[in-house]
Amino acid sequence: MYIHNLKTYDVENTGTRGASVSVWFNFCEKHCPGCWNEDTWQRDTSLYIDNDEVVSTVLSALSDDFLPIGTLALLGGDPISPKNIKDCLYLVKKVKEARPDIEIICWTGFIWKQVYRSKILSPILAYLDILIDGRFLIERKVKGKHYGSDNQKIIDVQKSLKQEEIVEMALD
C-alpha cells in the first residue's frame, strides 16, 4: 500500500476511544482547494510499503501495553479512493480479525451515499465504526473539529447500516 505517514501514537486524529494509530494513505483525486494535506494528492511510488508490513506495524502499535490505543484512524490523501480501497480494505479486515475491539475511523472526500451505493467502496463499511464524509470546502472551513468544513458529517457507520439511514454523532 502507498502510505504517506504512519503514526503509532496519535492524540489529534482520534475517535471515541482515546489515542489512535493513524495511517495517511497516499493519493487523492479530489484536490480540494485549501486542503491541509495536499502533499498526499499525487501518487508517490517511493511510498510503497508491503501490505503485511503495514498490518504488522499497526497491530504491534495497537498492542502496546504502555500506550493504550483504542482507535485506528485512516486519513490521507483519501484512504478509500478507488486507487487505495483494495489496500485499505486489506488493512481494516486484518485489524478487525486480530482486534475486533479496535474502533476504526476514516476520513474521506466521498459522501455517504457514494460509498454506500458503490460496489467498489461499500465493502469497507462493514469494518468502519466512524466515517467522516465529504469534500473539504474552504468557504465552510471550521476550526477545532474532527472535520475541516461544516458540510462534512461524522457518521456512526454500524448504526447507519442497521437503520438504513445516516446516523450522525458528535466527537467534540
Side-chain angles (χ1 to χ4, degrees), residues 137-170:
L137 300 175
I138 195 159
E139 65 276 7
R140 295 178 68 178
K141 183 177 181 174
V142 295
K143 292 185 180 186
K145 301 286 185 184
H146 275 78
Y147 47 86
S149 55
D150 65 10
N151 61 296
Q152 297 171 305
K153 294 181 294 305
I154 301 171
I155 300 169
D156 183 317
V157 175
Q158 298 312 307
K159 283 184 181 177
S160 297
L161 291 172
K162 285 178 188 161
Q163 295 181 21
E164 296 184 357
E165 64 181 10
I166 294 173
V167 177
E168 290 189 56
M169 60 186 292

Side-chain angles (χ1 to χ4, degrees), residues 7-114:
K7 203 172 193 181
T8 57
Y9 187 78
D10 187 352
V11 294
E12 293 178 20
N13 301 294
T14 61
T16 64
R17 300 183 191 165
S20 69
V21 171
S22 295
V23 179
W24 283 264
F25 282 77
N26 173 243
F27 187 77
C28 181
E29 67 275 343
K30 302 285 192 230
H31 298 194
C32 301
C35 173
W36 70 278
N37 209 7
E38 68 181 71
D39 57 337
T40 64
W41 290 356
Q42 300 303 316
R43 174 65 86 211
D44 182 344
T45 56
S46 72
L47 298 176
Y48 180 81
I49 304 172
D50 179 77
N51 284 5
D52 289 323
E53 185 178 336
V54 174
V55 169
S56 177
T57 301
V58 168
L59 288 175
S60 177
L62 290 170
S63 298
D64 187 331
D65 291 334
F66 297 105
L67 296 171
I69 298 171
T71 302
L72 170 61
L74 307 171
L75 308 103
D78 195 329
I80 66 170
S81 161
K83 289 192 176 197
N84 289 328
I85 189 65
K86 183 178 175 186
D87 294 328
C88 188
L89 190 55
Y90 183 85
L91 173 62
V92 297
K93 279 183 178 180
K94 293 291 187 180
V95 168
K96 283 293 189 178
E97 285 171 6
R99 295 289 308 274
D101 59 310
I102 293 298
E103 170 184 73
I104 300 179
I105 182 172
C106 179
W107 283 258
T108 182
F110 293 99
I111 61 171
W112 173 265
K113 187 185 332 182
Q114 292 170 313

